[in-house]
Amino acid sequence: MRESTRLLNSEGALVALSEVPQGVRDVLRRRLARLPEAGVSVLRLAAVAGRESAVDVLVKAADTDEDGVMDALDAGIIAGLLDEPGPGRVRFVHALVRDTLIADLSRLRTGRMHARIAAALEGTGDIAALAHHYARAGSPKAVGYCIQAAERAEARYAHDVAAGLLTDALAHARGPDERIELAGRLLRAQIRAGAVTAARETRREAVQYAESLNRDDLMIAAFTAWTEPTFWQARTYGTVDQPIIDRLNHLLLRGDLTPPVRFRLLTAYVDELAGEDDPTVVAAAQEALDLATGPQQRAAALQILARIHDNPEISRELVEIGTTHDLPVYRITGLLNQAAGAAAANNPAATRQMNTQALELARTYRMPEAIAVAEISLATLALIEGRYTDAEHLYLKADKGMRSAGSVHAAGFLPLALATIRLNDGTLGAHLDDIRALHTALGPMVCDLLALALHAAGLDTEAREVRASSGPIRRDFFFTFLTTLRAMAVIALNDRDAAEDIYTTLLPHRNGPPAGAESLSLALPPVAHTLGELAVLLGRDHEATTHFTQAATIADQWNAPTWATQARQRTTTY
């Protein structure tokens, strides 16, 4: 423990968790030095085999006879380096013992040992072990075994394990066609595991590789391999990968595409541009729906349409297809869309019900991204109800899952969620440094939030400068949230000139839910409350009273006593 602490202090966590401390290594080496050299060679073979291994496999793999293997294992047991967890099996008493034995081996010798162990395992049916050892031996046999092991892992919904196995398979690919085919398998496993960032990188590398060979067929294969939907956008908020769009446009101009291939290219195109102000997106989504054949393709087309149109029928059909045809990913997508629709309609009970169903399914099928989305929705409901501690706990839990899986949204979302809690509980000014860091990371999107933090800290001159640098607000699922943030900054800084325009912008949403609630991720007081404050700033007291009254009613519907009280207090004032 002392040696590990020293290593942690001097080298950091990454080294401390991956290396045997020198002091520990020296002690173990002295113990190993007391054993016969041939015996240490067998122990090194056992270390390469794993923390625990079968004696029969070691006998077959060793470059000595059975008696030599047994003598070496006996010596290891007597020396306290090995124990016997069961008949015919040995196990290192501590991972540090095994790691020390491996650390003194060259990569070349380790590879040869993996090859011997893999050969000894042939016929045992231990596909996972065969995949592991052949991959580390650099053998062509690795590809087949890795694919088999990955398929078994997928059947258990162990998508992260499958992704690791397919990464090994891809590293041993032979030829361009196999390389692209394996990249496609890998990116699908990564998406199912919630590792969307890794999946995008896998696709990018495959597309670039195909382009370097001037082979459109391989580029098409790389794009059409992405058959798995994601529950959030598969890209960082507000970004467009223009090289990907350009390549998709190039491929879609081809006149020799079969309908299934064109369908997949269209869905990829829409996924890359949904939420952007691009007139081609709707037409592409509709064409994909027209080309869809079979329930899975129709569900895929409906799923991308749902990102463009707030149509409850689309969500209902997604749930129906997912349930009828055992396609849980689309059933969950439909339920989450229905939850968002219920939120937009001021129906928090239905929002919670749909979200809870989605969360249960996501946990059953081990879908990390869907679990995080559903947990964030529950955090948002807690935030609306004024349960700020519960909300923070749920946001942190969801963020941990997203980071572990490799979500593209892991970096920026949690700080924004925590800042939203601080704004709602009135402590934003005390977290000014955090908001500055968030502004550095997300840019103009959070200018208004920074302006509010600066105002709360008494820095109005800087707040006005920051607010002046804000850009247009995207008309997507964050529109009411971000527009309300802007309105709050306008009110805080007493900017009557800006108040008129933003009042007009928000007015159509006056009967809507708490601002942002329809995103199932963040929330501020009902839009009606902010309209009331804008009306006060503009000297429209009668309109202010109407808005505050409506805000109180909406807050009551959402079980938000703090917001309801604030609205009623303002009602009595105007």
Side-chain angles (χ1 to χ4, degrees), residues 77 88 130 133 181 183 254 322 344 365 373 378 442 472 489 530 555 558-559:
I77 292 169
L130 285 161
H133 291 295
E181 193 271 334
R254 292 177 62 104
Y365 291 98
V373 171
L378 292 177
L442 300 183
T530 305
W558 284 85
N559 189 30

Side-chain angles (χ1 to χ4, degrees), residues 30 57 84 123 138 177 205 216 362 387 397 457-458 463 502 533:
R30 285 197 294 272
V57 171
E84 300 174 86
D177 294 84
E205 291 177 354
D216 277 4
R387 296 184 289 111
K397 182 181 178 184
I502 206 158
E533 298 291 358

Side-chain angles (χ1 to χ4, degrees), residues 488-554:
M488 293 172 76
V490 164
I491 294 162
L493 297 172
N494 200 34
D495 188 349
R496 289 176 59 88
D497 292 338
E500 186 67 55
D501 286 341
I502 206 158
Y503 180 87
T504 302
T505 301
L506 280 176
L507 192 59
H509 305 276
R510 59 189 176 277
N511 297 321
E518 65 274 18
S519 73
L520 301 181
S521 54
L522 300 165
L524 294 168
V527 173
H529 189 108
T530 305
L531 284 166
E533 298 291 358
L534 287 167
V536 171
L537 180 60
L538 294 168
R540 302 173 184 173
D541 293 353
H542 177 71
E543 293 176 28
T545 300
T546 301
H547 290 312
F548 287 131
T549 301
Q550 177 68 351
T553 301
I554 292 169

Side-chain angles (χ1 to χ4, degrees), residues 45 57 60-63 109 111-121:
L45 180 69
V57 171
K60 289 181 183 179
D63 53 6
R109 188 172 294 275
R112 296 295 294 271
M113 286 182 172
H114 277 297
R116 297 208 311 266
I117 294 165
L121 285 166

Side-chain angles (χ1 to χ4, degrees), residues 205-279:
E205 291 177 354
V207 168
Q208 285 186 341
Y209 175 67
E211 192 172 45
S212 73
L213 300 177
N214 197 28
R215 286 188 57 178
D216 277 4
D217 62 322
L218 293 183
M219 193 184 299
I220 288 170
F223 276 119
T224 57
W226 192 303
T227 59
E228 301 297 309
T230 57
F231 299 95
W232 276 354
Q233 286 183 344
R235 53 195 166 91
T236 304
Y237 180 79
T239 63
V240 173
D241 191 334
Q242 195 57 48
I244 291 293
I245 297 299
D246 293 341
R247 290 174 178 127
L248 284 167
N249 275 320
H250 162 72
L251 296 174
L252 285 166
L253 289 174
R254 292 177 62 104
D256 59 347
L257 301 175
T258 63
V261 167
R262 186 167 181 83
F263 170 84
R264 284 296 170 195
L265 292 177
L266 286 166
T267 57
Y269 180 81
V270 175
D271 266 340
E272 290 297 312
L273 285 174
E276 304 302 318
D277 186 16
D278 190 310

Side-chain angles (χ1 to χ4, degrees), residues 49-91:
R51 174 79 187 275
E52 182 179 324
S53 52
V55 173
D56 288 347
V57 171
L58 296 177
V59 169
K60 289 181 183 179
D63 53 6
T64 185
D65 59 20
E66 182 173 350
D67 287 339
V69 172
M70 297 307 298
D71 288 344
L73 297 179
D74 283 342
I77 292 169
I78 292 168
L81 302 174
L82 294 172
D83 61 18
E84 300 174 86
R89 301 192 69 80
V90 291
R91 179 179 60 196

